[in-house]
Amino acid sequence: NEGILDLSDRTPVDGKVRSYLTGEWVDAAIGNRRPVATMMSNDKESLPQYGINRAGVVYEASVEGVMNRCMSIIEDYDDLERIGSTRSCRTYYTYFAREFDAIYSHFGQSTFAVPFLKNVDNINGIEGIGSVAFYRSSDKKAPHNAYTSGERLKKAIEKLGYSTEYNEFYPGQHYIFSNSAVDLTTMGETMDCTEIQLPFPHNSSRLEYNESTGTYDYYEYGSVHVDAGNDNKVLTFKNVLI
């Protein structure tokens, strides 16, 4: 275990703890509460996205046909005025959300997903809580104009009676993080990877390594992807799991 971060110690250091999502230092009030996992459309008609750059973890997975969607797991969402656009649930996303003990935010669901939503605390845009948690913007056409915000999410969580504290059985160590630079060449077979083509014909998404930042920049539809709610900053990743 040498060099591995211990995320089980939740004693604040200068008011901060290690994030379960990233292993980085975050305010204790943020790091010790459950995150929200928000379904996001990445259809071309829905772009740009808002709030995705604040996510500690982003899933991109196929839906039906050639479409795919993102699920953004966000722990620091309080000041976000616009998150989305938010789209509907599929069965496997409920499992992804539960892996992090997250509260799952979505706008509707497929028929197959209905019974699985009983197994996860969720905020549904087409049920009674919808008008509390979500709103429709005037700059997009339906179904690409449903958004939420940090304030709306907090009100919905309170109204639904969901706990903001992690389940006592949640282990926290979803990922294993290093507390120092690791020489990957000593850990078996490795290779340089400057570009990752993702298997999604719908948006031709890919990741390109940025030497100046040491991270992977995300591209789709032939352009670098930006978060309109975060000064159009490029969506980047330190770690990629496929």
Side-chain angles (χ1 to χ4, degrees):
N1 291 328
E2 184 179 355
I4 300 300
L5 288 177
D6 179 13
L7 302 190
S8 63
D9 185 0
R10 309 310 289 171
T11 305
V13 177
D14 294 329
K16 296 182 180 294
V17 295
R18 292 282 188 179
S19 167
Y20 283 142
L21 301 184
T22 66
E24 297 177 338
W25 291 105
V26 296
D27 289 342
I30 291 171
N32 284 328
R33 74 172 177 189
R34 299 169 68 192
V36 173
T38 300
M39 287 300 301
M40 286 190 176
S41 171
N42 59 345
D43 293 344
K44 196 169 186 178
E45 295 81 6
S46 70
L47 299 182
Q49 292 174 337
Y50 291 78
I52 193 169
N53 241 331
R54 191 69 69 83
V57 175
V58 176
Y59 280 81
E60 183 177 10
S62 298
V63 193
E64 57 275 339
V66 297
M67 292 191 301
N68 67 79
R69 288 185 184 151
C70 294
M71 185 180 76
S72 302
I73 306 179
I74 308 172
E75 57 187 354
D76 183 10
Y77 54 81
D78 298 71
D79 62 339
L80 292 178
E81 297 180 356
R82 186 170 178 173
I83 305 172
S85 67
T86 306
R87 293 300 300 273
S88 58
C89 163
R90 297 297 182 271
T91 302
Y92 35 91
Y93 284 107
T94 66
Y95 285 91
F96 298 156
R98 284 193 65 186
E99 289 180 20
F100 296 87
D101 195 24
I103 298 169
Y104 183 44
S105 169
H106 59 104
F107 208 96
Q109 66 280 321
S110 67
T111 301
F112 302 106
V114 171
F116 295 92
L117 284 169
K118 298 176 182 178
N119 300 324
V120 61
D121 289 343
N122 70 96
I123 303 170
N124 193 344
I126 64 171
E127 294 184 350
I129 199 69
S131 60
V132 174
F134 300 94
Y135 68 94
R136 295 279 188 181
S137 71
S138 59
D139 58 351
K140 294 287 181 183
K141 295 181 179 179
H144 305 294
N145 64 345
Y147 295 88
T148 185
S149 68
E151 193 62 34
R152 285 174 175 268
L153 287 172
K154 288 192 291 185
K155 287 181 179 179
I157 291 169
E158 181 180 5
K159 188 169 184 177
L160 289 167
Y162 294 150
S163 173
T164 57
E165 296 181 359
Y166 278 102
N167 186 301
E168 62 178 311
F169 302 107
Y170 179 63
Q173 196 86 19
H174 187 286
Y175 297 126
I176 297 175
F177 298 104
S178 169
N179 63 9
S180 59
V182 175
D183 183 2
L184 295 178
T185 61
T186 66
M187 303 176 66
E189 185 176 352
T190 63
M191 63 181 291
D192 290 336
C193 185
T194 56
E195 183 175 354
I196 303 170
Q197 295 281 351
L198 299 174
F200 303 120
H202 169 61
N203 60 340
S204 301
S205 54
R206 72 183 195 277
L207 294 146
E208 289 192 7
Y209 185 69
N210 186 328
E211 289 190 5
S212 64
T213 61
T215 58
Y216 285 92
D217 295 340
Y218 179 82
Y219 288 74
E220 64 177 350
Y221 302 107
S223 301
V224 69
H225 191 75
V226 299
D227 183 345
N230 190 19
D231 297 327
N232 289 318
K233 290 183 179 178
V234 176
L235 179 59
T236 63
F237 295 90
K238 290 184 177 180
N239 300 284
V240 180
L241 287 76
I242 298 179

